[in-house]
Amino acid sequence: MSIHMEKSTAAGTTAAGTTVAGTTPGTEEPPDPGARTQGAKDPHRLTALQGLAALSLDAMASVAYGPESIVLVLAAAGAYGMGFTLPVTLAIAALLAVLVASYRQVIAAFPDGGGSYAVAKRHLGRRTSLVAAASLILDYVLNVAVSVTAGVAALTSAFPELYPERVWICLGILVLVTAVNLRGVVDSAKAFLVPTAVFVGSILAMVGVGLFRDGPVSTASAAGHASALGEGATTVGALLLLKAFAAGCSALTGVEAVANAVPSFRAPAARRAQRTEVALGALLGVMLIGLSVLIGRFHLQPVEGVTVLAQLADASFGHNAAFYVVQFATMVLLALAANTSFGGLPVLMSLLARDNFLPHFFALKADRQVHRHGVIWLALVSAVLLVFSGGDTNTLVPLFAIGVFVGFTICQVGMVLHWNGERPRGWRAKAALNGFGALLTGVSAIVVTATKFTEGAWLIVLALPLIVLAFEKIHRAYAQIGERLELGRIPQAPRRSRSLVVVPVSGLSRLTCQALTAARSLGDEVLAVTVTHPAPEDRQAAEALRRDWELWKPGVELIELSSDTRSLGRPVSAYIRELAQTHPGTQVTVVIPETEPAHLWQRMLQNQRGSVVAHAVRRDTDAVICRLRFRITDDAN
């Protein structure tokens, strides 16, 4: 037998242990001398290598479509335009270096994670920080959908017969990634370490081999496909280069994930996260520049229906087993790149919950140090996007990367203010670096939004303020609850008040005896109530209960509550309101006896009378609800 108690109030139900406005879920405990050592050995936290596998998949996978985005824009200027692929890529690599250096400093300055949200919260104000958080949430959710659909697109390209089932395949992959992340971020890192290593190794090998080729070994993959190269165009203007730069910056999505998830690393968390950030930037930069060099070396032309990466693999390795290894590794990594969102977004949502901008359950952690509610929420929203898009990557890509550029810009501006306020040695150079990065990412955000506005980017422009308004509404709700509870103030000394306990009954049983026993131990006065109906058969049952009650003589008065509509909860709640009015200053408690069968399927056989009464009392009164559960085991007599 167990008892679960809750307090019904006008402001809402507040369960024991729940924090509201003005409090922080999981308040920090006093420093523990052994915490650093324990954190370094925590099996549920990431090493630098595991962090690279768990949090870099988004950035690594962008190698598959970043260079292609540049080539497709420059192809409008013909072969002459293609010659600017490497310069544009070098500019993106320079921006990557700026971002890595910036986020390395963000990690050191904000070891609790949060990335651009944490920076903006401290230096740019609440509203700007919420814009940064909203942009990151949109980016993370879209990353899951884009990554999964892109991976499935690679699969259906190899096996066209699977194309009609692409939505179900997308949902299956999403379920797989979600299940792995529910086991913990370390388990996800271990599961994705091999695919990440195979992909990075195959790309680096392709670049290395291609640099020693005088020309392409094979062009079989592009044979028979129409060229996407513009004809007769020889002019490359600043606008075209800017569009190519902005398009190629899609390869930078995911760079911020490490800074958002610093608490997921083993101690010293900040140092490990910094190493992971630098390793991510180095690998991504080498791969982007290497692929761009090969594009110029092989005079590659974009064709319809074949990716640039596939053509490069064909040119470097030939149309053999190595070619298919690259394609398969790309397909797997694209599908699993969603894991970056599962590593970063739940941590960000937990920070928002601690600041009272999201429901507090997002700040709770499971046994494996995973924010389970954030993982499940991300999976559900992503599933809706997958179904809405029909598993089509092109439907989602125009919405992708805008949010991350907004976050980049806000973070860089915030870091400029950070350096100006802290003024450590060399702060001017660091502030100049962040200022330059803010200018580049800000321009990129404007260009991408403008060029993709009619293709769906208007949805992001609309969604950002709506999400911020939702944050504000949640924050006001917590503030109102905190005001009602007088949080932050010293309350009056507790005092004992007279207690009146009401027990709804429908018949005599061992459960009734246990309920009255518990009620008599809880209150000064106990009343039993039963709801009766005027129908003849119901009156007979009520009279039988009255006779049995008088024979039993439990020492508790039985009160009949008449209900013409056969309602059960309303008569009980109305009687409790009447008791509260006639007994001012008395604490009214309702003990609701319920059975709890041994097997889950047996609970479907219950009539749910207890839930009906509890709901009505909670909705209409301020009484304390005590749900007494009588456990029935298989060996019960």
Side-chain angles (χ1 to χ4, degrees):
M1 181 177 66
S2 63
I3 295 178
H4 172 72
M5 301 185 69
E6 51 189 282
K7 173 66 177 178
S8 173
T9 65
T13 303
T14 303
T18 301
T19 58
V20 290
T23 63
T24 300
T27 303
E28 293 183 1
E29 299 178 354
D32 180 2
R36 181 183 177 91
T37 302
Q38 294 172 0
K41 299 179 180 179
D42 189 345
H44 299 305
R45 295 186 185 273
L46 297 168
T47 64
L49 183 61
Q50 291 171 341
L52 192 63
L55 302 173
S56 69
L57 293 180
D58 179 14
M60 295 296 182
S62 66
V63 170
Y65 49 79
E68 183 159 7
S69 299
I70 299 172
V71 168
L72 289 176
V73 173
L74 294 177
Y80 180 72
M82 292 291 296
F84 288 87
T85 300
L86 182 57
V88 171
T89 303
L90 290 175
I92 293 174
L95 177 56
L96 172 63
V98 172
L99 289 174
V100 168
S102 174
Y103 276 105
R104 190 173 181 275
Q105 298 301 325
V106 171
I107 291 169
F110 300 89
D112 291 332
S116 57
Y117 168 69
V119 175
K121 177 185 171 185
R122 179 181 298 180
H123 298 293
L124 298 175
R126 186 178 75 175
R127 185 60 61 85
T128 305
S129 71
L130 295 182
V131 173
S135 65
L136 284 173
I137 287 176
L138 288 172
D139 178 63
Y140 276 135
V141 172
L142 285 167
N143 171 60
V144 174
V146 169
S147 298
V148 172
T149 55
V152 172
L155 176 65
T156 55
S157 297
F159 303 98
E161 62 273 13
L162 297 177
Y163 184 79
E165 309 298 329
R166 63 190 182 281
V167 175
W168 290 108
I169 299 174
C170 286
L171 294 176
I173 293 175
L174 179 62
V175 169
L176 174 64
V177 176
T178 303
V180 172
N181 277 275
L182 285 175
R183 290 187 55 82
V185 66
V186 172
D187 283 341
S188 69
K190 292 178 180 177
F192 302 148
L193 188 59
V194 172
T196 304
V198 171
F199 176 80
V200 173
S202 63
I203 297 298
L204 293 179
M206 183 178 68
V207 171
V209 171
L211 290 175
F212 289 97
R213 302 289 191 190
D214 294 329
V217 176
S218 170
T219 58
S221 60
H225 293 267
S227 174
L229 199 66
E231 296 181 2
T234 58
T235 302
V236 177
L239 181 59
L240 184 67
L241 292 176
L242 198 59
K243 289 177 64 176
F245 174 81
C249 280
S250 60
L252 303 181
T253 57
V255 172
E256 78 291 346
V258 176
N260 289 334
V262 177
S264 299
F265 286 85
R266 296 183 186 178
R271 187 177 302 172
R272 291 182 188 273
Q274 286 178 322
R275 292 173 182 170
T276 302
E277 186 73 50
V278 171
L280 168 60
L283 285 174
L284 183 57
V286 168
M287 288 191 290
L288 288 175
I289 295 174
L291 293 178
S292 296
V293 170
L294 292 188
I295 290 173
R297 189 178 185 84
F298 296 140
H299 304 290
L300 182 144
Q301 297 182 6
V303 298
E304 298 177 1
V306 180
T307 66
V308 168
L309 196 62
Q311 292 187 65
L312 290 177
D314 205 7
S316 294
F317 293 130
H319 208 74
N320 50 30
F323 169 82
Y324 289 101
V325 168
V326 174
Q327 294 305 104
F328 182 75
T330 303
M331 177 195 71
V332 172
L333 200 75
L334 278 169
L336 298 182
N339 194 67
T340 299
S341 295
F342 283 97
L345 182 58
V347 176
L348 174 63
M349 295 179 73
S350 73
L351 295 178
L352 288 166
R354 293 186 178 190
D355 292 336
N356 297 328
F357 292 112
L358 282 180
H360 286 156
F361 58 76
F362 284 115
L364 301 177
K365 279 187 176 182
D367 293 339
R368 292 176 173 267
Q369 298 297 309
V370 58
H371 295 93
R372 182 169 296 170
H373 295 284
V375 170
I376 293 175
W377 180 89
L378 175 58
L380 291 176
V381 176
S382 301
V384 172
L385 281 177
L386 290 173
V387 174
F388 171 76
S389 67
D392 181 25
T393 308
N394 295 326
T395 303
L396 299 168
V397 166
L399 310 179
F400 193 42
I402 297 176
V404 75
F405 283 130
V406 173
F408 282 163
T409 305
I410 291 175
C411 184
Q412 299 275 353
V413 172
M415 289 305 294
V416 171
L417 297 179
H418 173 78
W419 298 128
N420 186 58
E422 298 291 333
R423 301 202 172 193
R425 178 179 297 180
W427 70 273
R428 286 187 176 86
K430 295 178 180 179
L433 184 66
N434 290 131
F436 181 63
L439 176 64
L440 292 179
T441 55
V443 170
S444 298
I446 294 172
V447 172
V448 172
T449 303
T451 56
K452 300 295 184 181
F453 190 83
T454 58
E455 300 177 33
W458 63 270
L459 286 173
I460 303 299
V461 177
L462 179 64
L464 277 173
L466 291 179
I467 295 176
V468 172
L469 289 176
F471 289 156
E472 295 282 14
K473 187 173 182 62
I474 293 172
H475 192 270
R476 285 195 299 270
Y478 276 127
Q480 292 172 358
I481 295 174
E483 184 66 24
R484 290 289 301 273
L485 295 179
E486 298 183 354
L487 294 176
R489 308 176 193 172
I490 299 177
Q492 298 178 354
R495 56 184 176 82
R496 188 183 186 280
S497 60
R498 183 173 179 274
S499 179
L500 176 61
V501 184
V502 177
V503 182
V505 298
S506 58
L508 296 187
S509 66
R510 183 177 174 184
L511 178 61
T512 309
C513 178
Q514 293 280 13
L516 293 180
T517 299
R520 298 189 71 168
S521 66
L522 290 173
D524 301 312
E525 181 181 354
V526 178
L527 297 174
V529 298
T530 184
V531 179
T532 62
H533 309 285
E537 63 274 15
D538 293 322
R539 286 305 314 166
Q540 292 178 5
E543 291 171 359
L545 174 60
R546 172 67 65 180
R547 288 194 303 268
D548 294 341
W549 195 272
E550 292 175 353
L551 290 173
W552 184 32
K553 295 183 179 6
V556 175
E557 181 182 0
L558 177 64
I559 299 173
E560 295 185 17
L561 306 176
S562 179
S563 174
D564 295 334
T565 61
R566 291 186 176 274
S567 174
L568 182 62
R570 291 185 183 276
V572 175
S573 63
Y575 178 68
I576 293 172
R577 287 200 306 271
E578 181 182 339
L579 287 176
Q581 294 173 358
T582 57
H583 298 76
T586 300
Q587 176 64 64
V588 179
T589 302
V590 182
V591 174
I592 302 175
E594 298 175 293
T595 58
E596 185 175 292
H599 303 288
L600 183 62
W601 69 269
Q602 293 174 334
R603 299 179 189 180
M604 299 173 58
L605 307 178
Q606 296 176 283
N607 55 27
Q608 305 300 322
R609 292 169 60 94
S611 298
V612 172
V613 173
H615 175 73
V617 172
R618 182 187 300 110
R619 180 190 59 206
D620 301 331
T621 77
D622 292 338
V624 173
I625 301 172
C626 172
R627 302 183 71 168
L628 183 144
R629 303 187 186 277
F630 184 81
R631 301 183 187 276
I632 301 176
T633 59
D634 288 333
D635 57 350
N637 294 325

